[in-house]
Amino acid sequence: MKGAGMDQSMPHGKMDMKAMMKENNDKMASAPMSGNPDVDFAQMMRVHHQGAIDMAQAQLRDGKDPKMLKMAKDIVAAQKKEIAELDAFLARSGKTPAAPTK
C-alpha cells in the first residue's frame, strides 16, 4: 500500500512516520494563501491537525505501548474537536473547509 504515510520498503502494516510528515508538509506547502492571516491560520492548522489524526490512527493500528495508545486515542478526539472549530470559523469566513483527507 503506497501513499497515506506508507512506504514500500516498510514491512506490511508498519507506519512510516517520516513519509506521513512529508505528505502533510507537502499539503500545507501547496495550499494557496488567502492573504487573510486568520483564514490562512485556520486552513493550515486544519491540515496540520488532520496530519496528527492520521499519525495517531497509525499508532492505534500498529502501536503496542498502552500509554502511547491512550495518547493517540486522546489526540484523535482532541484534534477532531479542534478541526470542527476551525471548520466553523472557515464557514463563518465564507471559506469552504477542505474535505478531510481520511
Side-chain angles (χ1 to χ4, degrees):
M1 175 179 174
K2 192 145 176 110
M6 298 302 290
D7 182 309
Q8 295 291 23
S9 65
M10 296 296 292
H12 180 69
K14 295 297 178 183
M15 61 185 149
D16 181 350
M17 287 288 179
K18 285 189 175 189
M20 294 174 88
M21 293 290 295
K22 182 179 181 328
E23 183 178 337
N24 196 49
N25 287 337
D26 290 347
K27 287 177 187 175
M28 286 191 293
S30 66
M33 297 287 92
S34 71
N36 178 327
D38 297 324
V39 168
D40 293 342
F41 172 79
Q43 289 175 326
M44 286 293 148
M45 288 307 293
R46 190 186 196 293
V47 174
H48 177 72
H49 283 15
Q50 184 61 53
I53 290 171
D54 296 344
M55 291 174 70
Q57 288 174 334
Q59 172 63 18
L60 290 169
R61 183 188 66 234
D62 297 333
K64 304 288 185 255
D65 184 88
K67 288 184 180 181
M68 291 297 100
L69 292 169
K70 181 180 182 328
M71 182 176 278
K73 184 178 176 183
D74 293 346
I75 286 169
V76 170
Q79 298 304 298
K80 284 184 175 184
K81 179 182 176 194
E82 289 187 11
I83 285 174
E85 292 174 20
L86 293 165
D87 285 351
F89 169 79
L90 290 168
R92 286 191 310 272
S93 298
K95 302 291 180 185
T96 303
T101 58
K102 305 263 181 243

